[in-house]
Amino acid sequence: MSRIGIFTCWCGENIARTVDVDDVAKQVSSLPGVRCSVNYKYMCSDPGQAMVREKIASEKLDGVVVASCSPHMHLKTFRRAAQAAGLNPYLVEMANIREQCSWVHHDRAQATAKAVDIIRLSVEKVRNDAALDPIRVPVTRRALVIGGGVAGIQAALDIADAGYEVVMVEREPSIGGKMAGLSETFPTLDCSQCILTPRMVEVGQHPRIKLYSYSEVEAVEGFVGNFKITIRQKARYVDTAKCTGCGECWNVCPLKKNPSEFDFAMGMRPAIYIPFPQAVPARPVIDKKQCAKLIRNGCGLCEKKCKAEAINFKDEDKLVEEKVGTVVVATGYKLYNIAKEQDKAWLSGYGEYGYGKYKNVIDSLQFERLVSASGPTNGVLKRPSDGAIPKNVVFISCVGSRDNAKGLPYCSKICCMYTAKHAMLYKHKVHDGQAHVFYMDIRAGGKGYDEFVRRAIEQDGARYYRGRVSKITEENGKLIVRGADTLAGVPVTIEADLVVLAAAMRPADGIEELAQKLNIGYDEFGFLLESHPKLRPVETNTAGIFIAGACHAPKDIPESVAQASAAASKVQVMLAADELTREPEIAAINEQTCAACFTCVSTCPYHAIERTELRTGRGAFIKRTARVNPGLCMGCGTCVSVCPSKSADLLGFTEQQVYAEVEALA
Amino acid sequence: MNIGYYPGCALHGSSNDYEQSLQACLGALDIQLQEINDWICCGATAAHALNHKLSLALPARNLALAERDGHKQVFAPCPLCSMQLLKVQKAIAGNGLRAELSQIVEADLRGDGQILNLIQVFQTIGLDKLKAAVKEPLKSITAACYYGCLLTRPPEVVHFDDFEQPKSMEAVLAAMGAKTVEWSYKTECCGAGMTMASEDTVLELAHKILSNAAAHGANCVAVACPMCHVNLDMKQAAVEQRYNEKLGMVIYYLSDLVGLALGLSAEQLGVNRHFVTKA
Amino acid sequence: MSEANVFEPKIVAYVCNWCTYLGADLAGTTRLEYPPNVRIIRLPCTGRIDFNLIIKGFEIGADAVLVSGCHPGDCHYTAGNYHARRRWILFRELLDVLGFDLRRIHFTWISAAEGKKWQQVITEITEETRKLGPYTDLYANGSAKNLPAAAPAPFKTKTLAPEPELREHCHKLLAEGTVKVVIGYGERGPAVVTRAEDTGRLVWTNRCCSNLTTYLKRKEIKALGKPAVVVKPCDEKSLVVLEKESQIERKDIHVIGMACEGVGEPKCTFCTARTPRFADKTFGEPTGPETPASPPPNRFAALMAMTPRERMAFWATQFDRCVKCYACRQVCPLCYCERCIVDKNRPIAIDPAPSRKGNFAWQIARAFHLAARCVGCGECSRACPAGIDLALLNIALHKAAQDNFGYDAGVDPAAEAVLGAYSLQDKEDFIG
């Protein structure tokens, strides 16, 4: 027999103004199973909660209904109160008579009658509630960080410094990401590598960080607290344990004319190479598509030269398994390909800018390499076609961004700032040069950002034209840039020596396959989806997987670092205990009655149901059945609807409860 | 081979030289142009400035007539005409406006025919076949191929060639043994219908086009549009006078050049009817 | 209460916790008023909303039912609403066939940001339902029309030519121990033969109507060992579905296919498959049944030509004859759950009484549980001692599955089952 207590709240005047709380409390006191019914002005306050605790004890209640605001507001509050009084927190329900009653109706009689109905529903639900215990899942107290850019590095260091082991997987031969290739960063004009490389070294030397470079995530199995990751270590053809990084091999390699990926083809590299001198790990890699030995068994000079005998042409990809409890995805970005080839049918590039046709039309990352002190031209801004120093450089913003017709509709956030930076760096290097910037708007909302842009204009003389560029052609070695100055109302034609396009930021290649392996969501552009844009910006809807950096949305370095630390703190919350507790309102299957049709298995959005067998203690086969993995189930209840025998049920919203609620409305 | 032929206002009128060129050249390639019976105006620029439905109904009528005549392919030498016909096909695709337009033009529109511009006609014949038929390779021709505004745009209607950096006309001329140049005004506006209404505009734009072609080494310009031809050929003398420059660029219809390569004479092709007949 | 004698409709709303419930909360926080007639039942996801809850809502007296959740793509559980949408596409067709007043059943997507939409939707539904009046037509009597019935053709049972070959083959199978039991047709009903010498009991006539695949699910048969089963082309489709649903392993069964000329059942007039496609051994020459003198009347079209009210009255008359014998369930090969939902008593989701309401509840559940699974063997209609036109409901849902998803149960083993999967392109013109 139930002993339910009903606690009706006045919520000050919010409920009481429209609903006759006294009357309600009186009416519901006679519902079957109700032991006591009280009301109070502010149920969620200290005295209110104390009242709940007191009644639980004195009336020996086995169920509580709080008739007040939305469960989304205070269900956790009252569950904690009940638990403090020794009542299982899952025997508490809330009747929403504020947001869904008193605030939306004006007729006192009707609102009061509705409030009674709502409470009656909740009483029926609570009568069929079962005491549930949070599910305990063991935790492997290690984290995986996918991506070794600045966000991945920050997250890895935070987690490792807190005392947990971190496995970092980076696709390129070295960590550092895009930031390692930048020249100076806004708004401080810090040398990018100077501030990053110490962090990179820290990662490389950290006792608790295991770095898999030149590797990718091959497969992900398991669930929060218990992930099993398969990592593919791509063949370097160099034994990193023996190699000392002396550089004899790449000096002697005869095949030196391969476009360097790190320099975005602004410079060349040999077939055996280290992407940049400060690489971590500082060990070379052989590109199997270019190496003469690997292609046709020729050359082999590097092997002959290597005193450490570290070259291994027989190297192969290796698959390695790592067990971790949580994952942080920090895979970063790439720039929109302004030329013709696209990976999505609805993108078409910008043929009118002549990128790919004219050598001196480059994108922003290529410009960074040209001005970088350790870049292919040693920081001297030599334009690609003939190495001349450009005297007129045109910077075009929003190439691909904010373009519903041909590109991507979103703003890439960082380009206004880095374009101003480019204009300033250019002026610092070419004192008699003139920077021209074509822009749509200036987005400089960060700390010191607007002042930074003004410096570019006022101190470094950059000319800003509010307008777009319609076409770039080449005449007599000069790039003819035709655009508009909409503030002056005139067309503008500039004869430029170099054009830099601020291409849109997109998530890195392969993001969709990775997201599917991890079972996390992504939007139509490939950016990974957070759990809630305001309140849970680093979590995903898959428990245990967090995101940080540009893989989530375009963002700059300060934000990436902040988000990485945020993700790291979420990881630490999870790894702090030996066990994870999960909400127990999940599905359960009555294995005796399950017809083993396995419709639930294919339906479950989280692949949380497995096919298994029931056997006797001696191993004799009894029957097959479906079984819910309590570590994976998120409690949507879709399996319940598709189950023909109704063997699947959802704790907290059982068939019994829901039907009781409906019948209560008769 | 027979194909449907929609001349539009220009080809019988002020650009009759284009029609002569087409009939000679395509005739030599054994293509008979069957003019659509009772065709009407395609709407050009006037209709869509006034009334969107009118701008669809007019070419829809022509489409209906072509379908009535049983033409699977319709060649419209003027890119505005061909674009209008493609626009109507797109509007009725997926049944969008099919019922309504069918009612207006009093015919059951199918929209399943192929609309061809001049370059596409040559592509349909096949560039290899054309090359094999060349009798006199165009060794002295270094052409700047001028596409104008409508051969490749709007890209979502026309779906022809790369709309920023087209190369289809160059391919045809290469098969004829001619040289072509890379230049900067392939798809820039020539002033279009401003020829009479705002001659200054046309002269300025034509000047830019012609001098850029010359600057990049071309000795003539190839076009596939009667309007482009008028602005660059008929107005060339005025351009020379206004800017005090000798340009002397012959503006060839693409069919002129193909015809010459096939061994036809300039008179047969009507090249002597142009305003600028020699450099 | 407002003025007396104004009808106040009762609206039951099943909403998902993360979108619509929060949307309703938002309506509250922004003080958007709406009529107080709705009662909300909060569930975690629309995926959880079983079709029977809609029926239950009406059973307890709701005048309108609303089901609402997250917009496609926004589901908090990623895909629950896609599954729900697919379910509703089929269920709505069933409700239409049964004659439910579809104006009283509403589906919407309302997000957590759409407080205004919640207000508008509830206000509209309340006012529309008020105009429609109380749902007194539910399961109500009426002047029920009858459907045209084909005059039964005169029939003479005769043994067919392949019978001796069939017996010999089964004899061999049992004698060599290839199978342990043969499920075939006997003189009167099925013959379950375990000894080679008994294969003389097996017959093959033009009246072998049973779908013998239903016996493959029985514990007693399974306990005997590897079976052989005699199937006609229509029965064979059941095997495809059973394997798809993990009830049988094709390699563990010896399938004996019989080319069929028709067995005198109404389904034979629509038959297009003459020979089994996946049998281990086939007997007989494929010919068709004799074409009837006049094409059989399209009962489904005749049913849908009635008004919803007339349809419901028709079904009320049909279902009144039901005595809950569950012969339809026993004979159906695809009803294999050992504990059927009608046997579940916590909760009693389906009223077990053979009352008007209880019979509707059972028939709806049976029909919908077979949605996009039924292969049209027609055994249910044949087995029903009360002569209820059960196959007609199955035909309706089969047509719905074909029209909406291009799916024909039992035909293509590789085709993805309809319920349990979803497509981003599933139509939602009925969802607000």
Side-chain angles (χ1 to χ4, degrees), chain C residues 135-376:
Chain C
Y135 198 11
T136 46
D137 285 350
L138 184 68
Y139 305 153
N141 277 328
S143 50
K145 296 186 180 151
N146 282 323
L147 291 183
F155 210 87
K156 197 168 174 344
T157 311
K158 67 181 203 290
T159 303
L160 300 174
E163 192 185 79
E165 289 179 275
L166 170 66
R167 282 180 180 163
E168 194 190 308
H169 179 69
C170 294
H171 188 279
K172 189 156 177 279
L173 288 174
L174 286 167
E176 291 174 359
T178 319
V179 305
K180 293 282 188 270
V181 57
V182 172
I183 308 164
Y185 296 99
E187 201 75 37
R188 284 198 209 90
V192 178
V193 177
T194 49
R195 300 185 310 171
E197 53 267 35
D198 291 337
T199 49
R201 283 171 42 207
L202 297 167
V203 303
W204 175 239
T205 71
N206 62 349
R207 202 55 193 130
C208 287
C209 1
S210 309
N211 183 344
L212 297 172
T213 60
T214 192
Y215 295 100
L216 293 171
K217 69 189 185 205
R218 299 285 163 85
K219 269 214 279 285
E220 306 85 345
I221 303 286
K222 287 185 186 175
L224 291 172
K226 177 165 178 171
V229 64
V230 177
V231 295
K232 308 187 290 296
C234 48
D235 312 328
E236 189 194 39
K237 293 200 284 182
S238 310
L239 290 176
V240 173
V241 183
L242 284 170
E243 184 166 33
K244 196 186 280 295
E245 296 177 3
S246 310
Q247 298 304 305
I248 59 171
E249 298 253 3
R250 179 64 187 79
K251 62 175 175 49
D252 294 338
I253 302 175
H254 182 94
V255 175
I256 305 173
M258 309 300 294
C260 177
E261 296 173 2
V263 292
E265 285 293 302
K267 66 177 178 182
C268 300
T269 49
F270 306 108
C271 177
T272 49
R274 313 281 191 241
T275 330
R277 296 164 292 150
F278 311 119
D280 290 306
K281 184 101 179 111
T282 312
F283 296 105
E285 285 301 307
T287 57
E290 290 176 8
T291 13
S294 49
N298 189 336
R299 302 165 61 73
F300 180 67
L303 179 68
M304 295 315 286
M306 300 184 201
T307 66
R309 192 67 197 78
E310 288 167 341
R311 281 202 286 282
M312 188 155 264
F314 167 78
W315 288 113
T317 321
Q318 292 275 317
F319 295 156
D320 271 356
R321 300 202 290 269
C322 176
V323 293
K324 294 286 178 77
C325 70
Y326 298 119
C328 51
R329 179 188 71 178
Q330 296 306 107
V331 82
C332 177
L334 299 181
C335 279
Y336 47 70
C337 296
E338 280 187 34
R339 199 277 313 266
C340 175
I341 45 163
V342 291
D343 299 328
K344 190 172 177 192
N345 57 10
R346 276 182 63 85
I348 302 178
I350 304 206
D351 186 345
S355 61
R356 173 75 60 84
K357 178 184 113 184
N359 291 349
F360 260 94
W362 160 241
Q363 296 297 343
I364 292 171
R366 189 200 71 87
F368 198 68
H369 271 204
L370 286 167
R373 299 169 64 225
C374 167
V375 300

Side-chain angles (χ1 to χ4, degrees), chain A residues 584-589 609 628-630 633-637 639-640 648-651:
Chain A
E585 283 160 321
I586 59 167
I589 293 180
I609 309 185
V628 175
N629 180 337
C633 173
M634 296 294 280
C636 68
C639 54
V640 179
D649 210 347
L650 183 63
L651 301 171

Side-chain angles (χ1 to χ4, degrees), chain A residues 132-347:
Chain A
L132 300 172
D133 288 315
I135 298 166
R136 296 189 195 291
V137 171
V139 177
T140 309
R141 297 168 89 178
R142 299 166 91 222
L144 169 70
V145 174
I146 307 178
V150 67
I153 288 172
Q154 182 65 46
L157 287 173
D158 282 348
I159 299 171
D161 285 343
Y164 304 103
E165 267 183 37
V166 175
V167 173
M168 180 186 270
V169 176
E170 165 55 54
R171 176 158 74 181
E172 298 299 321
S174 165
I175 57 175
K178 297 290 183 299
M179 189 177 168
L182 301 180
S183 78
E184 287 162 38
T185 59
F186 60 79
T188 49
L189 293 183
D190 277 314
C191 154
S192 181
Q193 279 203 6
C194 304
I195 54 178
L196 183 66
T197 43
R199 294 281 182 94
M200 287 166 56
V201 169
E202 225 187 307
V203 167
Q205 294 178 347
H206 203 292
R208 279 185 292 279
I209 299 182
K210 195 168 175 188
L211 172 59
Y212 288 94
S213 60
Y214 208 49
S215 303
E216 297 193 51
V217 170
E218 178 93 352
V220 177
E221 287 165 64
F223 51 94
V224 60
N226 301 274
F227 290 109
K228 189 171 84 171
I229 313 287
T230 307
I231 300 169
R232 173 180 292 273
Q233 278 184 299
K234 298 184 285 196
R236 272 187 186 250
Y237 304 100
V238 171
D239 185 337
T240 49
K242 292 185 184 157
C243 169
T244 59
C246 69
E248 295 278 346
C249 54
W250 65 74
N251 285 333
V252 83
C253 176
L255 299 167
K256 289 203 165 24
K257 294 268 192 244
N258 305 297
S260 158
E261 292 85 349
F262 187 73
D263 290 332
F264 303 104
M266 292 288 98
M268 300 291 178
R269 58 151 180 79
I272 182 169
Y273 68 101
I274 203 167
F276 54 100
Q278 300 78 18
V280 170
R283 302 283 178 267
V285 101
I286 297 183
D287 188 335
K288 65 182 179 199
K289 292 189 296 294
Q290 292 149 1
C291 170
K293 177 81 174 175
L294 290 172
I295 296 175
R296 48 191 158 74
N297 208 15
C299 191
L301 281 174
C302 53
E303 190 182 26
K304 297 194 183 77
K305 262 294 192 173
C306 179
K307 294 192 184 62
E309 292 180 359
I311 307 285
N312 172 17
F313 289 111
K314 298 236 176 354
D315 201 2
E316 281 176 353
D317 289 1
K318 270 191 285 294
L319 291 177
V320 181
E321 265 178 27
E322 289 282 356
K323 286 197 169 59
V324 297
T326 58
V327 178
V328 176
V329 185
T331 49
Y333 70 96
K334 69 174 183 195
L335 287 185
Y336 178 35
N337 181 8
I338 313 161
K340 275 217 78 165
E341 314 86 55
Q342 299 294 340
D343 54 355
K344 293 255 184 281
W346 39 273
L347 294 172

Side-chain angles (χ1 to χ4, degrees), chain A residues 70 105-106 117 624 641 665, chain C residues 10 25 33-34 39 47 246:
Chain A
S70 170
H105 308 309
H106 59 266
D117 271 352
R624 287 184 307 164
S641 306
L665 293 175
Chain C
K10 188 170 183 163
D25 275 353
E33 284 201 13
Y34 51 86
R39 300 289 179 269
S246 310

Side-chain angles (χ1 to χ4, degrees), chain A residues 423-439:
Chain A
M424 290 162 77
L425 292 180
Y426 169 60
K427 190 69 172 181
H428 298 169
K429 286 184 190 293
V430 184
H431 299 301
D432 58 341
Q434 177 63 58
H436 308 264
V437 177
F438 283 91
Y439 70 99

